[in-house]
Amino acid sequence: MNSHYTYYIILAASLAGPLALSFDKKVAFYKRWKYLVIPMFIPAALYVAWDSFFTKEGVWWFNEKYITGHHLFGLPIEEILFFFVVPYCCVFVYECIRCYFPNLKKKVWGDRVLQLIAVLSIIAGAVFYDKYYTSWTFFFLGIFIGMVYVWKSWFKGFDAVSFVVSYIIILVPFLIVNGFLTAIPVVLYNDAENLGIRMYTIPFEDTFYGMLLIMMNVALYERVLKREQFKMVNSRNKL
C-alpha cells in the first residue's frame, strides 16, 4: 500500500459505517442531508482558517510520508476533508440518539454540564494564555457555549443533554481516529504550544477542539432544521 494515502484511508474508514447506516429506516439520516450542508461549511471554514494559521506558526504540522501532497489554503486536502467527514459522522450519532431516545432531551443537567465547561474553559484559556493550542481551544469553546445560551432563542433547537450524551459516545471513535493520526504519526504537535498532556498519543486539547467542532455543527444543523420545520408548518396552515 502506498503510505501517501494513509490519511485518506483513515477518513474513508471513519465515514464508511455512518454513511451506510444513514439509510437505516428508523433514523433515515439521508433525508436530512440537505439540512446539513450549510451547517457543515460554516464551522469547516472557521477551522480551515484556524488550522492553516496554526500550521504556518508551527503549532502542528503534517508528515509528508502519509499525505498525498495536494494542498489548499496551506493545508493537506485530507485535513480539509477531516472537517467534513468527522462532523458528518458525529451529527449522525447525534441524530441516532435523538431518534432512539426521544425522552432524553430537555433535561436541566445537560445545560449545567455545558455551562460548567464554558466557565472552566474560559479560566483555562486565561491561565494558559501563552500556549496557542490550549488558549485558543478553551477560549473558543467557552465563547461558543456562551453564545448558545446568550442567544438561546436563535439556538432553540439545540438540546444540551442530547449533545452531551452523543459526545460521550462520539469520544470513543473520535479518539480512535485521532489515535491513528497521532500515533502513526500523520499529525505532529509542538508541545511548547499545548499542555504536554497526552491520552496515549493524543494531546489533551484535542478532546475540546473536537467538542467545539461538533457542537458548532450540531447547533447550526438544529437551527436550519427547526427553521425548515417552521416553514413547513406555516405552509400547511395557509392551505
Side-chain angles (χ1 to χ4, degrees):
M1 184 188 74
N2 189 333
S3 65
H4 289 294
Y5 290 98
T6 300
Y7 201 166
Y8 271 125
I9 291 171
I10 291 172
L11 291 175
S14 302
L15 182 62
L19 186 59
L21 292 172
S22 295
F23 297 92
D24 168 74
K25 290 182 180 179
K26 186 174 178 65
V27 180
F29 188 52
Y30 71 94
K31 294 181 178 179
R32 297 194 168 186
W33 283 352
K34 60 184 177 181
Y35 304 125
L36 187 57
V37 175
I38 294 176
M40 286 181 72
F41 270 94
I42 295 172
L46 295 173
Y47 265 75
V48 166
W50 180 357
D51 206 331
S52 181
F53 176 71
F54 271 20
T55 301
K56 183 179 178 181
E57 292 296 315
V59 176
W60 54 55
W61 58 96
F62 302 89
N63 191 334
E64 295 295 330
K65 183 179 178 180
Y66 300 111
I67 58 177
T68 57
H70 303 297
H71 292 74
L72 186 64
F73 306 117
L75 296 174
I77 293 295
E78 299 93 326
E79 179 74 353
I80 294 174
L81 289 175
F82 177 92
F83 299 127
F84 292 94
V85 171
V86 169
Y88 177 87
C89 298
C90 294
V91 176
F92 166 74
V93 172
Y94 172 81
E95 270 297 329
C96 288
I97 294 297
R98 297 277 269 176
C99 182
Y100 284 97
F101 303 97
N103 296 325
L104 183 65
K105 59 185 179 181
K106 302 301 180 185
K107 305 291 185 182
V108 176
W109 67 263
D111 295 309
R112 299 294 177 263
V113 168
L114 286 184
Q115 288 162 4
L116 178 60
I117 290 174
V119 172
L120 294 177
S121 294
I122 294 296
I123 293 172
V127 171
F128 300 105
Y129 70 92
D130 58 335
K131 297 180 182 295
Y132 263 140
Y133 191 21
T134 308
S135 60
W136 283 42
T137 297
F138 285 115
F139 266 135
F140 288 160
L141 177 59
I143 289 169
F144 186 73
I145 294 175
M147 288 171 60
V148 168
Y149 286 98
V150 170
W151 294 313
K152 201 166 185 177
S153 60
W154 200 85
F155 289 106
K156 61 183 177 181
F158 178 78
D159 180 62
V161 173
S162 298
F163 172 76
V164 171
V165 172
S166 299
Y167 192 66
I168 290 171
I169 295 170
I170 288 163
L171 271 177
V172 176
F174 181 81
L175 292 176
I176 290 173
V177 171
N178 271 24
F180 278 112
L181 292 175
T182 56
I184 291 175
V186 176
V187 186
L188 301 99
Y189 293 81
N190 176 4
D191 283 343
E193 301 297 349
N194 61 55
L195 293 175
I197 301 172
R198 300 278 177 138
M199 298 173 290
Y200 180 46
T201 55
I202 306 165
F204 176 70
E205 290 85 349
D206 272 17
T207 303
F208 300 94
Y209 179 85
M211 176 182 280
L212 174 60
L213 175 63
I214 305 313
M215 188 176 181
M216 290 176 70
N217 274 271
V218 167
L220 293 172
Y221 165 72
E222 284 286 11
R223 165 66 184 176
V224 172
L225 187 61
K226 294 302 178 186
R227 186 180 64 185
E228 292 302 315
Q229 290 174 342
F230 180 75
K231 288 180 180 178
M232 289 173 63
V233 170
N234 278 351
S235 297
R236 288 170 185 167
N237 290 338
K238 289 178 180 178
L239 295 176

mmCIF file of all heavy atoms in Angstrom, residues 4-22:
data_model
loop_
_atom_site.group_PDB
_atom_site.id
_atom_site.type_symbol
_atom_site.label_atom_id
_atom_site.label_comp_id
_atom_site.label_asym_id
_atom_site.label_seq_id
_atom_site.Cartn_x
_atom_site.Cartn_y
_atom_site.Cartn_z
ATOM 1 N N HIS A 4 1.322 7.222 1.201
ATOM 2 C CA HIS A 4 0.822 8.584 0.992
ATOM 3 C C HIS A 4 -0.705 8.662 1.051
ATOM 4 O O HIS A 4 -1.259 9.758 1.151
ATOM 5 C CB HIS A 4 1.319 9.140 -0.345
ATOM 6 C CG HIS A 4 2.791 9.442 -0.348
ATOM 7 N ND1 HIS A 4 3.352 10.425 0.426
ATOM 8 C CD2 HIS A 4 3.816 8.854 -1.029
ATOM 9 C CE1 HIS A 4 4.663 10.459 0.224
ATOM 10 N NE2 HIS A 4 4.969 9.510 -0.645
ATOM 11 N N TYR A 5 -1.376 7.520 0.999
ATOM 12 C CA TYR A 5 -2.839 7.507 1.071
ATOM 13 C C TYR A 5 -3.348 7.184 2.478
ATOM 14 O O TYR A 5 -4.540 6.962 2.675
ATOM 15 C CB TYR A 5 -3.408 6.495 0.067
ATOM 16 C CG TYR A 5 -3.228 6.937 -1.368
ATOM 17 C CD1 TYR A 5 -2.165 6.458 -2.141
ATOM 18 C CD2 TYR A 5 -4.110 7.853 -1.958
ATOM 19 C CE1 TYR A 5 -1.981 6.875 -3.444
ATOM 20 C CE2 TYR A 5 -3.938 8.274 -3.256
ATOM 21 C CZ TYR A 5 -2.868 7.789 -3.998
ATOM 22 O OH TYR A 5 -2.687 8.214 -5.288
ATOM 23 N N THR A 6 -2.445 7.171 3.444
ATOM 24 C CA THR A 6 -2.809 6.797 4.817
ATOM 25 C C THR A 6 -3.931 7.662 5.376
ATOM 26 O O THR A 6 -4.919 7.149 5.929
ATOM 27 C CB THR A 6 -1.587 6.873 5.747
ATOM 28 O OG1 THR A 6 -0.582 5.971 5.267
ATOM 29 C CG2 THR A 6 -1.961 6.514 7.167
ATOM 30 N N TYR A 7 -3.800 8.975 5.268
ATOM 31 C CA TYR A 7 -4.808 9.876 5.826
ATOM 32 C C TYR A 7 -6.148 9.659 5.129
ATOM 33 O O TYR A 7 -7.208 9.615 5.769
ATOM 34 C CB TYR A 7 -4.340 11.331 5.682
ATOM 35 C CG TYR A 7 -5.000 12.320 6.630
ATOM 36 C CD1 TYR A 7 -4.461 13.609 6.812
ATOM 37 C CD2 TYR A 7 -6.147 12.012 7.353
ATOM 38 C CE1 TYR A 7 -5.044 14.523 7.685
ATOM 39 C CE2 TYR A 7 -6.741 12.922 8.220
ATOM 40 C CZ TYR A 7 -6.187 14.185 8.371
ATOM 41 O OH TYR A 7 -6.782 15.092 9.222
ATOM 42 N N TYR A 8 -6.121 9.485 3.808
ATOM 43 C CA TYR A 8 -7.360 9.234 3.070
ATOM 44 C C TYR A 8 -8.037 7.951 3.550
ATOM 45 O O TYR A 8 -9.263 7.891 3.707
ATOM 46 C CB TYR A 8 -7.071 9.112 1.568
ATOM 47 C CG TYR A 8 -7.105 10.414 0.812
ATOM 48 C CD1 TYR A 8 -6.013 10.819 0.047
ATOM 49 C CD2 TYR A 8 -8.245 11.225 0.819
ATOM 50 C CE1 TYR A 8 -6.042 12.012 -0.663
ATOM 51 C CE2 TYR A 8 -8.284 12.418 0.108
ATOM 52 C CZ TYR A 8 -7.175 12.808 -0.626
ATOM 53 O OH TYR A 8 -7.203 13.987 -1.326
ATOM 54 N N ILE A 9 -7.243 6.921 3.776
ATOM 55 C CA ILE A 9 -7.793 5.629 4.200
ATOM 56 C C ILE A 9 -8.440 5.744 5.577
ATOM 57 O O ILE A 9 -9.518 5.191 5.828
ATOM 58 C CB ILE A 9 -6.689 4.552 4.192
ATOM 59 C CG1 ILE A 9 -6.274 4.263 2.747
ATOM 60 C CG2 ILE A 9 -7.152 3.280 4.893
ATOM 61 C CD1 ILE A 9 -5.049 3.380 2.611
ATOM 62 N N ILE A 10 -7.796 6.496 6.477
ATOM 63 C CA ILE A 10 -8.357 6.705 7.816
ATOM 64 C C ILE A 10 -9.698 7.432 7.714
ATOM 65 O O ILE A 10 -10.672 7.068 8.389
ATOM 66 C CB ILE A 10 -7.369 7.502 8.697
ATOM 67 C CG1 ILE A 10 -6.146 6.645 9.018
ATOM 68 C CG2 ILE A 10 -8.039 7.964 9.995
ATOM 69 C CD1 ILE A 10 -5.029 7.393 9.722
ATOM 70 N N LEU A 11 -9.772 8.444 6.857
ATOM 71 C CA LEU A 11 -11.026 9.186 6.677
ATOM 72 C C LEU A 11 -12.116 8.300 6.071
ATOM 73 O O LEU A 11 -13.269 8.323 6.505
ATOM 74 C CB LEU A 11 -10.793 10.409 5.787
ATOM 75 C CG LEU A 11 -9.950 11.541 6.375
ATOM 76 C CD1 LEU A 11 -9.712 12.621 5.324
ATOM 77 C CD2 LEU A 11 -10.626 12.155 7.598
ATOM 78 N N ALA A 12 -11.746 7.513 5.065
ATOM 79 C CA ALA A 12 -12.716 6.635 4.398
ATOM 80 C C ALA A 12 -13.255 5.593 5.370
ATOM 81 O O ALA A 12 -14.464 5.309 5.388
ATOM 82 C CB ALA A 12 -12.061 5.949 3.196
ATOM 83 N N ALA A 13 -12.381 5.016 6.190
ATOM 84 C CA ALA A 13 -12.798 4.020 7.173
ATOM 85 C C ALA A 13 -13.729 4.637 8.220
ATOM 86 O O ALA A 13 -14.685 4.008 8.672
ATOM 87 C CB ALA A 13 -11.566 3.415 7.848
ATOM 88 N N SER A 14 -13.463 5.895 8.572
ATOM 89 C CA SER A 14 -14.298 6.597 9.550
ATOM 90 C C SER A 14 -15.698 6.860 9.008
ATOM 91 O O SER A 14 -16.693 6.779 9.736
ATOM 92 C CB SER A 14 -13.647 7.934 9.936
ATOM 93 O OG SER A 14 -12.350 7.746 10.453
ATOM 94 N N LEU A 15 -15.758 7.174 7.731
ATOM 95 C CA LEU A 15 -17.029 7.549 7.106
ATOM 96 C C LEU A 15 -17.892 6.349 6.722
ATOM 97 O O LEU A 15 -19.119 6.456 6.698
ATOM 98 C CB LEU A 15 -16.748 8.404 5.865
ATOM 99 C CG LEU A 15 -17.950 8.944 5.082
ATOM 100 C CD1 LEU A 15 -18.799 9.872 5.954
ATOM 101 C CD2 LEU A 15 -17.479 9.680 3.830
ATOM 102 N N ALA A 16 -17.276 5.237 6.436
ATOM 103 C CA ALA A 16 -17.977 4.088 5.865
ATOM 104 C C ALA A 16 -19.191 3.646 6.675
ATOM 105 O O ALA A 16 -20.301 3.509 6.132
ATOM 106 C CB ALA A 16 -17.001 2.914 5.700
ATOM 107 N N GLY A 17 -19.009 3.423 7.977
ATOM 108 C CA GLY A 17 -20.107 2.946 8.815
ATOM 109 C C GLY A 17 -21.265 3.922 8.905
ATOM 110 O O GLY A 17 -22.413 3.573 8.572
ATOM 111 N N PRO A 18 -21.021 5.172 9.350
ATOM 112 C CA PRO A 18 -22.112 6.151 9.448
ATOM 113 C C PRO A 18 -22.810 6.413 8.113
ATOM 114 O O PRO A 18 -24.030 6.598 8.079
ATOM 115 C CB PRO A 18 -21.399 7.414 9.953
ATOM 116 C CG PRO A 18 -20.243 6.880 10.735
ATOM 117 C CD PRO A 18 -19.783 5.684 9.964
ATOM 118 N N LEU A 19 -22.052 6.401 7.016
ATOM 119 C CA LEU A 19 -22.670 6.646 5.712
ATOM 120 C C LEU A 19 -23.611 5.505 5.338
ATOM 121 O O LEU A 19 -24.740 5.739 4.882
ATOM 122 C CB LEU A 19 -21.589 6.803 4.636
ATOM 123 C CG LEU A 19 -22.065 7.207 3.244
ATOM 124 C CD1 LEU A 19 -22.798 8.544 3.276
ATOM 125 C CD2 LEU A 19 -20.893 7.266 2.264
ATOM 126 N N ALA A 20 -23.177 4.273 5.559
ATOM 127 C CA ALA A 20 -24.022 3.118 5.247
ATOM 128 C C ALA A 20 -25.264 3.083 6.141
ATOM 129 O O ALA A 20 -26.370 2.819 5.676
ATOM 130 C CB ALA A 20 -23.217 1.829 5.401
ATOM 131 N N LEU A 21 -25.083 3.389 7.414
ATOM 132 C CA LEU A 21 -26.192 3.338 8.371
ATOM 133 C C LEU A 21 -27.135 4.540 8.241
ATOM 134 O O LEU A 21 -28.199 4.556 8.866
ATOM 135 C CB LEU A 21 -25.647 3.265 9.802
ATOM 136 C CG LEU A 21 -24.922 1.955 10.146
ATOM 137 C CD1 LEU A 21 -24.258 2.063 11.516
ATOM 138 C CD2 LEU A 21 -25.889 0.780 10.113
ATOM 139 N N SER A 22 -26.740 5.522 7.444
ATOM 140 C CA SER A 22 -27.605 6.687 7.224
ATOM 141 C C SER A 22 -28.903 6.302 6.523
ATOM 142 O O SER A 22 -29.867 7.074 6.527
ATOM 143 C CB SER A 22 -26.870 7.746 6.392
ATOM 144 O OG SER A 22 -25.771 8.265 7.090
#
